[in-house]
Amino acid sequence: MDEIRTGAGAGHPSRAGVVAVGREVRPVAYPRDEVRAADFRVVEVAVPRPGPGEVLVRNTWTSVDAALRLRLRERAPEGYFPAFPLDQPMDGIMTVGEVVESRADGFAPGDTVSHASGWRDYAVVGAGSQALGGVGALTRLDVRDTPPQAHLGVLGATGLTAYAGLFHVAELRDGDVVWVSAAAGAVGGLVAQLAKLHGHRVIGSAGSAEKVRHLREELGLDAAFNYKDGPLPDLLREAAPDGIDVYFDNVGGDHLEAALGALRTSGRVAICGMISEYAARGPSRGPGNLMLAVTKNLTIRGFRGSAHTHLLPEVRRRLGAWVREGRLPYRETVVDGLEQAPAALAALFRGDNTGKTLVRIDGVAHRENLGG
Amino acid sequence: MDEIRTGAGAGHPSRAGVVAVGREVRPVAYPRDEVRAADFRVVEVAVPRPGPGEVLVRNTWTSVDAALRLRLRERAPEGYFPAFPLDQPMDGIMTVGEVVESRADGFAPGDTVSHASGWRDYAVVGAGSQALGGVGALTRLDVRDTPPQAHLGVLGATGLTAYAGLFHVAELRDGDVVWVSAAAGAVGGLVAQLAKLHGHRVIGSAGSAEKVRHLREELGLDAAFNYKDGPLPDLLREAAPDGIDVYFDNVGGDHLEAALGALRTSGRVAICGMISEYAARGPSRGPGNLMLAVTKNLTIRGFRGSAHTHLLPEVRRRLGAWVREGRLPYRETVVDGLEQAPAALAALFRGDNTGKTLVRIDGVAHRENLGG
């Protein structure tokens, strides 16, 4: 989409084929260490009409995920989605919105849809896209019983990642004791709840007393601790004196090392993310006790939710039922205004979030028909 | 068994219930860094008669394995077999021998057996023992077609470890490109050959030009390199320009890190051992690129052969057939004389071995009937 220069003297283009003006959040510099709002800028662009097979979507909610940090670098890690180009819209962020105009079969104005063209007011999306391994494909959503933004969290990529990670990657088995790190986060919270729903003893860790309270009281975990409260192996031993069988890793680093120490024979690790290492510019320090994987017959599996897209219908069905039955309460940290998305990402890395972090876009204020 | 003091004035005890005098190799100090023969001593002991359910075995061959180093420490790694106590016989080393006297059903004098009471001339072994997870159980061997010492290598614990690791832990799949480190060693050589027999492209690495020649010419690997010849990632890229799908790890450290870099999506690592780290007294440096496990959906599994003892009959049948057909030639590094076992272990850590390292015990010279 063409950028519209703003400021003194700049006007909005008015031409055929352009239907509106919308904002986009673009990275303008790769964060050196911490993510800062100043690494991004908001630009206004002319929104074109959809072409054949495309729909125009007015976005309403978009997602803020720790993993975006992996693409806010000169080079994303090998095998991952590519880095976000500077000063371009960020393609590959899960978003929901309403169809404004459709030239694609099966989509009509007013439909609520999800797609992967986030952090912008409007998106023109092709109906056949398999963005983000298919999770980001343009999808019509059933929002009769659940709010649209749930499809970015528990019923969307977050739910898929939690579900696939716990049941398919960690291969949860009867009687397993489960430790989840970053358990107050979007994926971690869901993993902990799913393991509880399946009757497991679940230990959660997080980075503040308030989050620990949330884990104990709202999520009903069997034990929870603040990882800043002491040496991690000691905290873990206190919470799980007889060891653990599954570690769901969102943190990496010292957390993974502590888990390897606490895992029992035939234990399993599902590595979903390593937030402690996302800002690293060089190689990180790997776990110094990996030999325990040999002596204890451990399995360590990294995974991406997008490798398990085939499970998405099952996730929507099973988790959707639990949500409707009130058995899977979920937390959201909601930030208002598209322009706040970078600040929300920065806050997430400071730990100022519980549950799924979402941006309520409020595109309406910027909606403007330019003719055509 | 009672130690018999040797030297001036020392005599052999002659008493009822003692059938012979035999040597034992005992650790007297835990190696600080390198294994040295001086960390062991050879003592002569009186050999008792077997009790009910026991057999007396005159050992003929015993095994020298890198993993023994893990037990030659104050504390073995968590989950592993316990440390060898100082100045005691080393229980838990695979050995073959001939039954001299039997008080156990199913065993008769002259039978060739395997058991786990190695590095000694004679052993009294209970028929019900499940030593080393069952691999070390007293077992009558069929030596009509294969020499007895093959049951310490290709048809024994070594074969089991290679077979379980490649097919069950790494879950070898059609078309996988396989890298095996320490491929001139006992387990590595077998893994490489088994993968070749299954039609795979196999890359082997080792620590000398002579071993690389062995891998190329005798084992027929598709590519082989000396890891000392340059930066490991470069050597690996040259041998496997399109990456690898399976890494069979015997080395750990920089080898594992290079493998994570070279593995393709959904690749698998079977960690059998980490010889580069066995002498480490503190935590080692783990792989600094473990995040690639997430981005490439990798599985990393540590394992011990003894966790797969149920596969031993299958290993004996399948590998035995290949050996008899001449399709699985195996190399042995044979050291003569029980007293040379510590030197053989030290040599193994210097890399002075190809294939299975074995000690031909030659207990006969020390056999001595003391009456009873």
Side-chain angles (χ1 to χ4, degrees):
Chain A
M1 297 179 190
D2 298 326
E3 179 181 348
I4 295 171
R5 306 214 170 269
T6 52
H12 290 164
S14 177
R15 60 171 208 249
V18 171
V19 74
V21 167
R23 299 163 302 169
E24 289 175 357
V25 176
R26 298 179 172 185
V28 290
Y30 296 119
R32 285 183 60 84
D33 297 299
E34 290 178 14
V35 174
R36 297 170 313 148
D39 295 325
F40 299 81
R41 69 172 183 143
V42 179
V43 302
E44 293 197 327
V45 296
V47 179
R49 308 204 87 110
E54 293 179 335
V55 299
L56 172 65
V57 183
R58 183 176 61 78
N59 294 330
T60 52
W61 294 85
T62 190
S63 185
V64 176
D65 306 285
L68 297 180
R69 184 67 177 85
L70 295 173
R71 308 179 63 183
L72 290 166
R73 317 203 301 197
E74 296 269 347
R75 270 166 166 244
E78 190 204 333
Y80 200 62
F81 302 117
F84 292 118
L86 292 181
D87 214 18
Q88 297 294 321
M90 294 163 76
D91 265 316
I93 301 184
M94 290 305 299
T95 300
V96 296
E98 283 178 21
V99 173
V100 174
E101 186 176 346
S102 173
R103 295 187 66 190
D105 287 346
F107 297 91
D111 283 353
T112 301
V113 294
S114 67
H115 59 84
S117 297
W119 288 28
R120 62 184 95 176
D121 284 323
Y122 292 93
V124 173
V125 186
S129 145
Q130 284 299 309
L132 299 181
V135 182
L138 183 68
T139 305
R140 204 144 55 84
L141 302 175
D142 179 351
V143 291
R144 286 169 300 180
D145 297 319
T146 44
Q149 73 274 20
H151 293 271
L152 296 177
V154 58
L155 303 183
T158 305
L160 172 64
T161 301
Y163 187 90
L166 184 63
F167 297 116
H168 292 261
V169 179
E171 295 179 347
L172 190 68
R173 296 171 196 160
D174 284 353
D176 280 346
V177 173
V178 179
W179 174 32
V180 185
S181 60
V187 173
L190 261 181
V191 169
Q193 287 176 286
L194 291 174
K196 281 306 296 172
L197 279 171
H198 276 244
H200 291 263
R201 179 173 168 79
V202 180
I203 295 119
S205 59
S208 76
E210 168 54 26
K211 287 183 179 178
V212 168
R213 193 202 57 74
H214 164 69
L215 298 181
R216 288 210 184 102
E217 296 178 14
E218 293 173 38
L219 301 191
L221 304 195
D222 301 284
F225 61 85
N226 178 349
Y227 69 85
K228 297 170 181 169
D229 278 352
L232 207 40
D234 296 350
L235 296 168
L236 186 54
R237 197 175 302 114
E238 199 174 315
D242 299 324
I244 60 176
D245 302 291
V246 164
Y247 170 53
F248 193 99
D249 190 18
N250 292 302
V251 177
D254 59 348
H255 281 61
L256 177 56
E257 194 166 80
L260 294 175
L263 280 161
R264 297 193 278 224
T265 297
S266 303
R268 284 138 281 137
V269 176
I271 310 183
C272 175
M274 295 188 161
I275 196 168
S276 69
E277 298 175 8
Y278 285 178
R281 270 168 289 172
S284 57
R285 199 187 70 82
N289 56 356
L290 205 48
M291 185 61 200
L292 294 176
V294 177
T295 59
K296 297 196 283 189
N297 291 290
L298 306 180
T299 298
I300 302 164
R301 274 202 173 118
F303 78 106
R304 292 157 61 188
S306 58
H308 301 265
T309 305
H310 64 284
L311 295 172
L312 204 42
E314 180 179 330
V315 167
R316 291 197 173 114
R317 192 176 65 245
R318 292 195 65 191
L319 274 57
W322 279 324
V323 167
R324 285 191 300 275
E325 293 163 12
R327 299 175 68 194
L328 196 56
Y330 54 89
R331 265 272 204 125
E332 293 170 348
T333 295
V334 175
V335 174
D336 269 305
L338 175 63
E339 71 284 0
Q340 296 302 319
L345 183 62
L348 185 150
F349 276 95
R350 284 196 308 272
D352 296 347
N353 65 310
T354 302
K356 177 72 187 176
T357 300
L358 294 164
V359 174
R360 182 157 38 204
I361 289 179
D362 183 25
V364 179
H366 294 265
R367 201 174 180 185
E368 188 178 345
N369 195 316
L370 296 174
Chain B
M1 298 179 190
D2 298 326
E3 178 181 346
I4 295 170
R5 307 213 170 269
T6 51
H12 290 163
S14 179
R15 60 171 207 247
V18 171
V19 72
V21 167
R23 297 164 302 168
E24 289 175 356
V25 176
R26 296 178 173 187
V28 290
Y30 295 119
R32 288 182 58 85
D33 297 300
E34 290 179 14
V35 174
R36 298 170 313 149
D39 295 323
F40 299 82
R41 69 172 183 143
V42 179
V43 301
E44 292 197 328
V45 295
V47 179
R49 307 204 88 108
E54 294 180 335
V55 300
L56 172 65
V57 183
R58 183 176 61 81
N59 294 330
T60 52
W61 294 85
T62 191
S63 185
V64 176
D65 306 286
L68 297 180
R69 183 68 177 83
L70 295 172
R71 308 180 63 183
L72 290 166
R73 317 203 299 199
E74 296 269 346
R75 270 166 165 246
E78 189 203 334
Y80 200 62
F81 302 117
F84 292 118
L86 293 181
D87 214 17
Q88 296 294 321
M90 294 164 75
D91 264 316
I93 301 182
M94 291 303 302
T95 300
V96 296
E98 283 177 22
V99 174
V100 174
E101 186 176 344
S102 173
R103 294 187 65 190
D105 288 345
F107 297 91
D111 282 352
T112 301
V113 292
S114 67
H115 59 83
S117 297
W119 287 28
R120 62 185 95 176
D121 285 321
Y122 291 93
V124 173
V125 185
S129 146
Q130 285 298 311
L132 299 180
V135 183
L138 183 69
T139 305
R140 204 145 54 86
L141 303 176
D142 179 350
V143 291
R144 285 170 300 179
D145 296 319
T146 44
Q149 73 273 22
H151 293 271
L152 296 178
V154 60
L155 303 183
T158 305
L160 172 63
T161 301
Y163 187 91
L166 184 64
F167 297 116
H168 293 261
V169 180
E171 295 178 348
L172 190 68
R173 297 172 196 160
D174 285 351
D176 280 346
V177 173
V178 179
W179 175 32
V180 185
S181 61
V187 172
L190 260 182
V191 169
Q193 286 175 287
L194 292 174
K196 281 306 296 172
L197 279 171
H198 276 244
H200 291 264
R201 178 172 169 81
V202 180
I203 295 119
S205 59
S208 76
E210 167 55 24
K211 287 181 179 178
V212 168
R213 193 202 58 73
H214 164 68
L215 298 182
R216 287 210 186 102
E217 297 178 14
E218 292 172 39
L219 301 192
L221 303 196
D222 300 285
F225 61 85
N226 178 349
Y227 69 85
K228 297 171 181 168
D229 278 352
L232 207 40
D234 297 348
L235 296 168
L236 185 54
R237 197 174 302 114
E238 199 174 315
D242 299 324
I244 60 175
D245 303 289
V246 163
Y247 170 51
F248 193 99
D249 190 17
N250 292 303
V251 175
D254 60 347
H255 281 61
L256 177 56
E257 195 166 80
L260 294 175
L263 280 160
R264 298 192 280 224
T265 298
S266 303
R268 284 138 280 138
V269 176
I271 311 182
C272 175
M274 295 188 158
I275 196 169
S276 70
E277 298 175 10
Y278 285 178
R281 268 167 291 170
S284 58
R285 199 187 70 85
N289 56 355
L290 204 49
M291 185 62 201
L292 294 176
V294 177
T295 60
K296 297 195 283 189
N297 292 290
L298 306 180
T299 298
I300 301 164
R301 273 202 174 119
F303 78 104
R304 291 157 62 189
S306 57
H308 301 266
T309 305
H310 62 286
L311 295 173
L312 204 43
E314 182 178 328
V315 167
R316 291 196 171 115
R317 192 178 63 246
R318 291 196 65 190
L319 274 57
W322 279 324
V323 167
R324 285 190 300 275
E325 292 163 13
R327 299 175 68 193
L328 197 56
Y330 55 90
R331 264 273 203 124
E332 294 170 345
T333 295
V334 175
V335 173
D336 269 305
L338 175 64
E339 71 284 359
Q340 296 303 318
L345 182 61
L348 185 151
F349 276 95
R350 284 195 309 271
D352 296 346
N353 64 311
T354 301
K356 179 72 188 173
T357 301
L358 294 163
V359 173
R360 180 157 40 203
I361 290 179
D362 182 25
V364 180
H366 294 264
R367 199 175 181 184
E368 188 178 347
N369 194 317
L370 296 175

